[in-house]
Amino acid sequence: MMNFKRNLLSKALASAIVMAAGAAYAQSSLAADADEAPQDAKAAAAKKKKAEETQKLETVNVTGIRHGIESAIEAKQSSTSIVEAVSAEDIGKLPDISIAESIARLPGLAAQRVAGRAQVISVRGLSPDFATTLLNGRELVSTGDNRSVEFDQYPSELMSGVTVFKTPDAGLIGQGLSGTLDMHTVRPLNYADSVSVVGVRGQHNSLGSAANVDANGNRINASFIGQSAARNVGIAIGFSHADTPIQENQVGLYEPWKQVGDDWRPGVPAGTYYSDGIKALRRTGNVKRDGAMATLEVRPSDSWSSTLDLFYSRSKQEDTANQFEVNLGDYNGGYGRIDLTDVQINGNGTFVGGVANNVYPLVRGMYNKREDKISAVGWKNEWNVGQASLVADISWSKAKRDEINLENNTQLAPAPQLDSVALDFSHGDFSQLVPNRDYSDPGQLFLRNTIYGSGYGKTPKVEDELKGFKFGATLPAPEAVSRVFSDFELGVNYADREKVKHQPEGNINVGAQGDTTIGDDLQYGLVDLGFAGVGFIPSWNVPGAVSRYMTFAPTEDASYLVAKAWTVDEKITTGYAKANIDGAWGSVPVRGNVGFQIQRTDQSSNANYWDGTRPAGQNVRPFEDGKKYDDVLPSLNLAFSLAEDQTLRLALARQVARARVDQLRASLDFGIDSATGKPGASGGNPTLDPWRANAFDISWEKYFGTKAYVAAAFFYKDLRSYIYTQTRDDHDFSDLVADYVPPPGAPPALTTGTFTAPFNGQGGTLRGLELSASLPLDMFAGALEGFGVIASASFNDSSIKIKDPESSSSVGDGPISLPGLSKRVYNLTAYYEKNGFEARVSQRRRSDFIGEIGNFAGNRTLRYVVGENITDAQVSYTFGEGSVASGLSLLLQANNLTNSSYRTYAATKDRPLENIEWGRTVLLGAAYKF
């Protein structure tokens, strides 16, 4: 029984009634389409279509919004699993400028924005850790610390579509627990003619230019699809370039918000919830990305075909946060205590304003440069041998990330130059911090040893490599069972993955010249922080200042850094068997499959740990651990073809999702209490079992040919365990204490002690209701020809509560809901398409959720995120074949029309953490197809 609030359930029922009413009304007008063939003939046609899929020739003349919609509906209808799909409207043209934004509009999916871009995807209320992403059916590497793919590294112009498998089948390799997202590139022999497309778009960010970065960018793409005269060789090539400006306004408050004691913060009453600092910044920079793909298809005969897929993406992000910051925690460098006057406290006991006196603000430059490279190769061969077919697929992918983070800290000097700052905290707008002094003159700001030092830097590096091989066979069903099963699929897949991370860090110190201002030749100019009440502050070339005035020697051998380097290896062998169902149960046609996977996982990790009990110079010690385990994953998918083009789907499955890679790291911090001999440590856990769940799905779908559909789906997942950080007091440290020599008079080391790490803990249930519809409005009235809507509503609920001690400063130390879970997700697109003119407005909304971000230490941390409401729009015109400009399309797009901000908070919304706006983006461009 779903435990939704009454208003949510009312919305769900109302939506279902509206969809059902629409289906009933439209049924008569499309009855001819729905009843062209008896149901058993339709099932046979679906089987034939799947068998001949590689022979299907697509013309490139049918394009536009309706083409993309109808292709997606066809993919959903013909699948034996419960799926959602996005299809390109034309070559190199998905519905949105970002593939993640297109995916996030599908029922049951939601995106989290990072740096203003939809980047990571949650499926069915679970965090991105629970989903896997494939490219042409092959699992992908990631440039992040974990498994989840950052979708903005995959240009939408190079993709022909995305299929999201919400229910697995035994033949789906690399399947996730919440869902499996499979991105596709084009297959050139599926097209009837050769075609080329070139496109160019300019873009502008509404926040305008600042520092050394203007507000303009560009996107360029080109694609070619061609075939040999004999149509036995096809080639597809695509290239995409994007130069996107980064413009960001942000106000952030320190975490945690904590209750202060008597006289902790003079002027603030005891028991008040208070934050110890605030910052305002303008971030400026660019993201430059180049992507390329190539596909070679060879089909010399009906008995053999070969497909080679190549993909490459390279991106470079470079940005600087030009920042004004005030410590409110009663520490200004030793120049007296803070004094707060005109203090304002709301009814929830939260400090919301006042004047902070005797503070010593900083003006900071926070520089980040990140370079990512992703390479992927896949080679698939298929043979037909009599009535059997064989497939062999070999794949390799590799991701590399090189990053450098540099920080400069300046203050007015000579010290101290104390100030009074008026504060006004807001949870719906930018909080205000208004200083009395002027901080706009770079000649008065000195690089110096502030309360945060003169600077700090990091140089993280990640490499992720995945090699795979799959061999499978499809055999016809014996005559004895042919009325139930159409054929059988058997196979084995082997995947070998290695992920390596290093993160050297260190202080950035003022050089031999001592405290100094930053030279005019390194200054970029003033940036305006007026949105936060600060006014103007300087911006400058941070790497240049480090090089000229400072010293930086990052290391990973310090006691607090050793545990940040690690290697994780996974070797997974998967055997599978699947029986495909294509027949009738009584008078009801049934399609589907039943089968199982057997997975053998061998996971291990090696790293160093710091042992403070050893003599100096011998503290860094190697450590390796791991585990082998097996999983049997049965699955069942049934699709019943009912009268009037209705489909009822049922699915049962056992599902797994492997632990996050950083949770599997062997690195740890270790020590022994010399007074008791009790060992203790914190770190990763290479012996983790995966998340495991039993899943049930049911879906009702009503189709009107490929023109329209309405659907309602319910899912239920019983997670048998959940991985979260715990402290256990009986951990076996025998290997680590074997050589321990206690100090004189100290007891010997115990073999068991306290270990804080990720462990498999108690699970729970997750359930949800998904309603969706795609309806051209001429179904209801001829006068509405060209108009249409696509809508979905998802309602999720979970009994699972977890604790995340690593994020306690932001989400508290008590139980929290599942990261990534929004209880409500809505998507709506209204469109018009006729005679070459297209227009659409799209909105995606999600309720509050717990999101995942990277903190200053480079680790994953959680935040409460305010629900988002993002609106995009676009209009375009394509000149027809009879026109002088035939093949030319003009396009105007706008993303985040309302400049919706991204806001996080601690426990309650009157305790804000971050408020970020990235502006609205407008793109104007043209494409030419020939």
Side-chain angles (χ1 to χ4, degrees):
M1 187 71 181
M2 301 191 68
N3 189 26
F4 295 137
K5 295 180 181 178
R6 179 178 298 178
N7 62 333
L8 299 185
L9 184 58
S10 300
K11 289 180 181 179
L13 293 174
S15 301
I17 291 169
V18 169
M19 291 179 180
Y25 185 93
Q27 185 173 311
S28 60
S29 63
L30 292 180
D33 292 334
D35 296 332
E36 285 179 353
Q39 291 300 309
D40 56 349
K42 290 181 183 178
K47 176 183 177 182
K48 182 179 179 182
K49 175 184 172 184
K50 182 177 180 181
E52 299 178 350
E53 191 174 16
T54 58
Q55 302 295 329
K56 177 183 174 183
L57 300 181
E58 297 182 7
T59 64
V60 295
N61 298 320
V62 181
T63 60
I65 296 174
R66 285 301 314 165
H67 173 72
I69 292 172
E70 292 184 13
S71 296
I73 292 175
E74 184 180 24
K76 181 179 178 70
Q77 184 178 18
S78 62
S79 176
T80 54
S81 298
I82 298 176
V83 304
E84 309 294 344
V86 176
S87 295
E89 299 170 359
D90 202 346
I91 296 172
K93 185 185 176 185
L94 280 173
D96 298 277
I97 64 171
S98 160
I99 193 168
E101 289 166 344
S102 294
I103 296 171
R105 301 195 196 287
L106 296 173
L109 280 74
Q112 179 179 332
R113 290 188 293 169
V114 177
R117 307 182 301 275
Q119 188 180 84
V120 293
I121 299 294
S122 296
V123 181
R124 289 186 152 178
L126 288 169
S127 76
D129 299 324
F130 290 87
T132 54
T133 302
L134 316 178
L135 179 61
N136 295 318
R138 307 174 183 106
E139 191 171 359
L140 283 171
V141 289
S142 168
T143 57
D145 292 357
N146 296 302
R147 305 179 193 277
S148 56
V149 166
E150 298 175 0
F151 285 93
D152 55 358
Q153 295 175 342
Y154 295 86
S156 61
E157 296 91 342
L158 302 183
M159 300 297 157
S160 64
V162 183
T163 303
V164 179
F165 293 88
K166 293 181 174 178
T167 61
D169 67 54
L172 181 63
I173 302 297
Q175 57 189 252
L177 189 150
S178 60
T180 307
L181 296 81
D182 190 6
M183 299 184 289
H184 316 292
T185 55
V186 299
R187 292 292 173 256
L189 291 183
N190 285 1
Y191 288 80
D193 301 302
S194 297
V195 63
S196 298
V197 175
V198 294
V200 60
R201 282 172 284 178
Q203 67 183 78
H204 177 78
N205 185 285
S206 64
L207 295 183
S209 303
N212 64 324
V213 180
D214 64 30
N216 302 317
N218 60 77
R219 297 172 71 99
I220 302 169
N221 65 282
S223 298
F224 168 76
I225 297 173
Q227 306 85 20
S228 65
R231 296 202 55 82
N232 57 8
V233 178
I235 187 170
I237 302 173
F239 171 77
S240 172
H241 167 79
D243 184 350
T244 304
I246 297 173
Q247 297 290 346
E248 173 189 313
N249 291 331
Q250 180 185 153
V251 173
L253 282 90
Y254 290 11
E255 58 179 75
W257 281 80
K258 58 187 177 184
Q259 284 185 294
V260 298
D262 187 36
D263 200 38
W264 285 12
R265 305 294 178 262
V268 180
T272 301
Y273 284 92
Y274 183 86
S275 171
D276 276 342
I278 186 170
K279 64 183 180 182
L281 64 89
R282 176 64 179 266
R283 190 184 309 275
T284 59
N286 292 90
V287 179
K288 297 181 180 180
R289 183 200 63 204
D290 293 312
M293 60 76 59
T295 296
L296 175 65
E297 270 193 298
V298 179
R299 192 180 295 155
S301 67
D302 291 340
S303 61
W304 176 51
S305 65
S306 182
T307 304
L308 177 66
D309 292 308
L310 306 175
F311 177 85
Y312 178 76
S313 176
R314 177 183 64 190
S315 65
K316 176 182 176 181
Q317 177 175 328
E318 193 169 14
D319 63 75
T320 301
N322 312 285
Q323 183 168 309
F324 179 84
E325 187 165 345
V326 184
N327 183 289
L328 303 174
D330 199 21
Y331 182 60
N332 58 16
Y335 302 109
R337 299 195 68 185
I338 191 174
D339 179 31
L340 289 121
T341 58
D342 300 327
V343 171
Q344 300 174 37
I345 301 169
N346 69 11
N348 197 32
T350 302
F351 176 90
V352 295
V355 178
N357 304 289
N358 298 327
V359 294
Y360 200 174
L362 293 80
V363 177
R364 314 178 77 179
M366 315 287 279
Y367 172 83
N368 174 72
K369 179 181 178 182
R370 172 175 167 171
E371 295 181 291
D372 294 340
K373 294 180 181 179
I374 300 174
S375 303
V377 179
W379 184 29
K380 182 178 182 180
N381 287 272
E382 297 175 279
W383 300 270
N384 294 320
V385 183
Q387 292 183 295
S389 62
L390 305 175
V391 60
D393 194 351
I394 187 170
S395 61
W396 170 86
S397 61
K398 187 173 185 177
K400 294 183 66 177
R401 182 181 104 217
D402 289 295
E403 195 169 357
I404 181 168
N405 311 127
L406 302 174
E407 166 193 305
N408 289 165
N409 296 327
T410 71
Q411 285 181 314
L412 296 174
Q417 301 285 320
L418 302 181
D419 201 355
S420 295
V421 178
L423 304 170
D424 183 10
F425 295 170
S426 170
H427 63 272
D429 202 350
F430 287 118
S431 296
Q432 300 293 296
L433 58 161
V434 183
N436 276 335
R437 289 182 177 272
D438 178 15
Y439 293 86
S440 64
D441 184 358
Q444 301 297 316
L445 292 166
F446 287 75
L447 287 167
R448 61 182 303 274
N449 186 27
T450 71
I451 60 173
Y452 299 130
S454 52
Y456 196 79
K458 300 189 288 286
T459 57
K461 299 179 185 297
V462 171
E463 287 195 10
D464 192 3
E465 186 174 22
L466 177 62
K467 294 169 283 189
F469 176 76
K470 175 184 176 181
F471 181 79
T474 302
L475 307 172
E479 183 66 27
V481 295
S482 61
R483 293 179 63 86
V484 179
F485 301 115
S486 58
D487 51 49
F488 296 93
E489 296 181 33
L490 307 168
V492 63
N493 185 86
Y494 177 76
D496 185 347
R497 183 174 196 165
E498 180 184 71
K499 190 150 197 162
V500 181
K501 183 181 181 182
H502 293 275
Q503 187 165 304
E505 301 181 14
N507 291 317
I508 301 177
N509 299 313
V510 173
Q513 82 285 330
D515 295 357
T516 179
T517 59
I518 298 171
D520 291 343
D521 61 317
L522 296 177
Q523 297 289 334
Y524 291 145
L526 301 178
V527 297
D528 186 4
L529 303 185
F531 63 90
V534 175
F536 289 90
I537 64 169
S539 63
W540 62 88
N541 183 335
V542 173
V546 172
S547 176
R548 183 179 301 180
Y549 305 115
M550 312 184 83
T551 61
F552 177 44
T555 179
E556 55 184 2
D557 291 335
S559 61
Y560 65 99
L561 296 176
V562 168
K564 294 191 176 185
W566 43 262
T567 298
V568 172
D569 291 284
E570 288 180 333
K571 296 177 175 62
I572 302 174
T573 303
T574 303
Y576 66 91
K578 181 175 71 169
N580 292 312
I581 300 168
D582 197 344
W585 292 6
S587 60
V588 180
V590 181
R591 296 177 294 120
N593 52 74
V594 61
F596 61 89
Q597 289 186 355
I598 299 177
Q599 289 187 358
R600 174 68 166 175
T601 300
D602 181 356
Q603 66 190 29
S604 62
S605 176
N606 61 79
N608 291 326
Y609 71 96
W610 182 272
D611 188 346
T613 68
R614 292 184 175 272
Q618 301 178 27
N619 304 105
V620 179
R621 308 289 295 172
F623 181 66
E624 183 174 358
D625 202 357
K627 184 176 185 178
K628 296 179 182 179
Y629 57 85
D630 300 312
D631 281 291
V632 179
L633 307 175
S635 62
L636 169 69
N637 289 278
L638 297 174
F640 299 92
S641 298
L642 308 179
E644 299 176 338
D645 220 353
Q646 298 178 87
T647 300
L648 179 66
R649 301 181 189 270
L650 294 172
L652 296 169
R654 173 81 160 174
Q655 300 172 312
V656 298
R658 294 183 295 280
R660 295 201 328 264
V661 179
D662 65 342
Q663 292 177 322
L664 292 172
R665 71 191 189 278
S667 52
L668 52 84
D669 296 305
F670 173 76
I672 298 175
D673 187 335
S674 59
T676 63
K678 185 175 182 178
S682 63
N685 184 358
T687 65
L688 282 171
D689 286 326
W691 287 291
R692 295 184 174 100
N694 297 322
F696 166 76
D697 290 78
I698 184 170
S699 175
W700 170 82
E701 301 155 10
K702 163 65 179 174
Y703 293 94
F704 306 92
T706 58
K707 296 180 180 180
Y709 84 94
V710 293
F714 171 80
F715 70 88
Y716 178 90
K717 295 183 185 294
D718 181 10
L719 273 73
R720 309 306 297 170
S721 70
Y722 197 91
I723 300 170
Y724 56 94
T725 300
Q726 305 172 48
T727 298
R728 296 190 175 179
D729 199 34
D730 56 352
H731 189 79
D732 185 0
F733 288 106
S734 298
D735 292 342
L736 301 185
V737 302
D739 298 329
Y740 173 69
V741 178
L750 303 176
T751 57
T752 61
T754 301
F755 189 31
T756 300
F759 288 99
N760 296 95
Q762 183 176 357
T765 61
L766 174 70
R767 48 200 176 272
L769 176 66
E770 299 167 350
L771 309 174
S772 58
S774 178
L775 302 170
L777 297 186
D778 59 4
M779 294 170 57
F780 305 99
L784 297 177
E785 181 182 0
F787 289 94
V789 294
I790 307 170
S792 67
S794 302
F795 307 91
N796 304 305
D797 190 26
S798 176
S799 67
I800 303 172
K801 298 294 182 182
I802 68 169
K803 291 184 178 182
D804 191 345
E806 297 166 314
S807 303
S808 60
S809 62
S810 56
V811 297
D813 54 10
I816 59 174
S817 60
L818 284 175
L821 176 68
S822 285
K823 288 186 175 293
R824 303 175 301 280
V825 179
Y826 304 105
N827 286 285
L828 175 66
T829 295
Y831 64 87
Y832 175 77
E833 178 186 38
K834 193 171 185 179
N835 299 326
F837 178 79
E838 299 178 11
R840 92 177 97 213
V841 177
S842 299
Q843 183 185 61
R844 65 177 192 269
R845 304 184 66 173
R846 65 182 303 187
S847 59
D848 291 8
F849 64 101
I850 294 176
E852 176 182 318
I853 66 168
N855 61 15
F856 176 77
N859 299 324
R860 166 191 176 273
T861 190
L862 302 177
R863 292 277 196 283
Y864 287 105
V865 182
V866 177
E868 296 188 311
N869 184 353
I870 311 296
T871 302
D872 305 323
Q874 68 178 58
V875 294
S876 65
Y877 182 76
T878 301
F879 292 88
E881 291 187 4
S883 154
V884 175
S886 175
L888 177 66
S889 299
L890 304 177
L891 176 70
L892 175 65
Q893 291 176 288
N895 277 30
N896 193 19
L897 270 173
T898 61
N899 189 19
S900 177
S901 63
Y902 174 87
R903 291 179 287 137
T904 65
Y905 60 95
T908 62
K909 291 182 180 178
D910 63 335
R911 297 166 195 160
L913 291 176
E914 297 150 318
N915 190 343
I916 307 173
E917 67 171 8
W918 291 294
R920 66 184 60 84
T921 299
V922 178
L923 299 96
L924 177 63
Y928 183 61
K929 182 173 68 176
F930 54 96

